[in-house]
Amino acid sequence: MSSQNLSSVFIVLFAVLLCQTGVDSQLQVGFYISSCNVAEFIVKEEVRKGVIGNRGVAAGLVRLHFHDCFVRGCDASVLIDSTSSNTAEKDAPANNPSLRGFEVIDNAKARLESICKGVVSCADIVAFAARDSVELTGGLGYDVPAGRRDGRVSVASDTFTNLPPPTANVNQLTQLFSNKGFTQDEMVTLSGAHTIGRSHCSSFSNRLYNFNATTKQDPSLDPRYAAQLKQQCPQGNTNPNLVVAMNPFSPFTTDVSYYADILANRGLFTSDQTLITNSATANQVNQNARNPFLWNNKFAAAMVKMGRLGVLTGNAGEIRAKCRVFN
C-alpha cells in the first residue's frame, strides 16, 4: 500500500474513532448500558434471524436507515403506517414497494418493550439494525451513538425532494448530499451501499428501452450487461415484483465490487454510472475499487455521520410503544 493510501486510511480511522467517541454530544455510544443493556444484542439477534430467513433483508435494513435519515432526520418516520387521512413516508413512490425489513424492526421492538418498556426508540433500533446488516454481510462493524427519539410526523410528500432518484446525475447527487452536510467523497462512499440488495425493473428500464429521443438504450451501459437485464426485465412487463440484483456477482456481500461494476459500465442505475462522468468522483470510484480496507472504513464513518442527521433527543419527540403508529 502506498504512503498516500496509508495516510488516507489513518485519517479515515481517526474520523471513525471521533464519531464513535461521541463528537455529537446529543448521542452517546452505550446509551442504553444502564437503562436496557441488552438492547443492541436483541436487535442484532433479530437482524440475524431476518437475514437467515431472507438474505436480502440486510440490504433492506441499510436502505431503511438511509431513507429514514434523509427525510426529517433519523426519527423513525419511515416506519409509520398510512391512515385514511394521511399517506405516510413508507407509501411514497420512492419507498413503496421497494422498502423492506419492517418486520425485523417490529420483532426487535416487541422484545424490547417486553423487558425495557418505553426505553428504546424505534429510531435507534433502525440505526442498530443497519449497522448489524453491514457487519453480517461482511462489512466493517462500528459503534452506533444512540439516544435518538421518535418523530411525530410522517408525510409521503417529504420524500419527493429529499431522496435521490435512480435517474439523478452526479451534480444532482452532489447537491442533494451537500444539503445534508455530506462531501462529494462521502456521497460516493455511501453510494457503495448498492453493493448489496436488489432493484425493481421500473427503476432502470428507461436505460434499456426508452433512454432519450434518439437512443433507445443508454450508450454508457455495457451491451452484454444490457442484454442480460433485458432478459430479466422484458419490455412492457407489468409485474411490480420483478427485481434484479444490484450487484449480480456478490449481491449479499458488502464489498467494493459495486465500484468495479461502475468502472466496467455495469452500474445499474443512472445514479450509479454517473459517478465516472466527473473527474473527482471517478477518482474516488477508482480508489474505492482498489482499496477495500479504505472504503470499508470510510463507509463506517459515513454511516455514523448519517445516523446523526436531524436527530430528536432529550424531551423532543417520543419513544413509541409500536414503531408503526404514533403514541
Side-chain angles (χ1 to χ4, degrees):
M1 186 183 297
S2 70
S3 59
Q4 183 178 5
N5 280 343
L6 273 174
S7 297
S8 298
V9 169
F10 288 132
I11 289 169
V12 171
L13 283 173
F14 181 64
V16 174
L17 287 172
L18 282 179
C19 290
Q20 293 178 350
T21 53
V23 170
D24 187 334
S25 59
Q26 294 178 308
L27 303 178
Q28 297 176 1
V29 173
F31 182 82
Y32 296 107
I33 196 70
S34 299
S35 58
C36 189
N37 64 2
V38 295
E40 295 190 48
F41 173 79
I42 285 176
V43 174
K44 181 168 286 189
E45 199 171 63
E46 290 303 323
V47 172
R48 186 177 288 110
K49 288 179 187 176
V51 172
I52 289 172
N54 180 348
R55 295 173 73 188
V57 163
L61 290 168
V62 173
R63 189 163 180 258
L64 201 63
H65 186 39
F66 176 86
H67 281 225
D68 182 36
C69 293
F70 264 55
V71 181
R72 289 190 170 272
C74 310
D75 66 347
S77 53
V78 75
L79 304 179
I80 292 295
D81 285 339
S82 296
T83 65
S84 58
S85 59
N86 177 62
T87 302
E89 288 175 32
K90 66 165 54 171
D91 287 318
N95 291 333
N96 186 4
S98 58
L99 280 191
R100 54 181 171 161
F102 296 105
E103 69 286 348
V104 173
I105 306 300
D106 289 339
N107 293 341
K109 179 62 172 175
R111 286 185 61 188
L112 288 168
E113 283 297 298
S114 70
I115 58 174
C116 307
K117 186 175 177 63
V119 172
V120 184
S121 70
C122 299
D124 278 343
I125 294 173
V126 171
F128 293 147
R131 180 270 312 276
D132 298 336
S133 296
V134 170
E135 192 172 4
L136 286 169
T137 53
L140 183 68
Y142 52 91
D143 288 336
V144 175
R148 301 165 188 80
R149 288 171 65 86
D150 302 323
R152 294 192 176 104
V153 178
S154 180
V155 183
S157 58
D158 284 342
T159 66
F160 297 165
T161 56
N162 285 292
L163 295 175
T167 55
N169 63 39
V170 70
N171 292 330
Q172 292 167 329
L173 290 171
T174 300
Q175 185 59 58
L176 195 150
F177 276 75
S178 176
N179 293 344
K180 304 297 181 183
F182 290 103
T183 65
Q184 190 176 63
D185 181 58
E186 288 169 330
M187 178 271 286
V188 176
T189 296
L190 286 170
S191 295
H194 283 174
T195 188
I196 55 175
R198 65 186 190 182
S199 168
H200 287 76
C201 294
S202 57
S203 295
F204 59 86
S205 59
N206 66 300
R207 300 186 69 199
L208 302 175
Y209 304 111
N210 188 32
F211 184 61
N212 58 35
T214 58
T215 307
K216 289 185 177 180
Q217 184 172 302
D218 184 347
S220 72
L221 195 60
D222 174 68
R224 287 172 297 178
Y225 184 45
Q228 176 187 328
L229 292 173
K230 285 179 178 179
Q231 287 186 329
Q232 296 172 286
C233 299
Q235 186 171 17
N237 85 83
T238 57
N239 181 357
N241 298 315
L242 206 56
V243 295
V244 303
M246 292 292 300
N247 173 10
F249 292 110
S250 56
F252 304 113
T253 304
T254 294
D255 58 22
V256 296
S257 57
Y258 164 79
Y259 298 104
D261 278 344
I262 292 173
L263 293 173
N265 293 322
R266 294 170 61 90
L268 186 62
F269 294 162
T270 297
S271 59
D272 298 318
Q273 198 59 47
T274 191
L275 296 181
I276 59 168
T277 64
N278 170 287
S279 60
T281 57
N283 285 337
Q284 290 151 12
V285 168
N286 270 285
Q287 183 184 59
N288 292 338
R290 293 194 310 267
N291 196 328
F293 181 68
L294 176 63
W295 175 75
N296 271 288
N297 279 279
K298 286 165 58 179
F299 187 73
M303 288 291 284
V304 172
K305 180 175 177 177
M306 185 178 74
R308 296 197 302 267
L309 286 177
V311 294
L312 300 172
T313 59
N315 295 319
E318 64 185 16
I319 304 295
R320 288 183 213 142
K322 294 184 178 180
C323 291
R324 292 173 179 263
V325 294
F326 302 122
N327 288 345

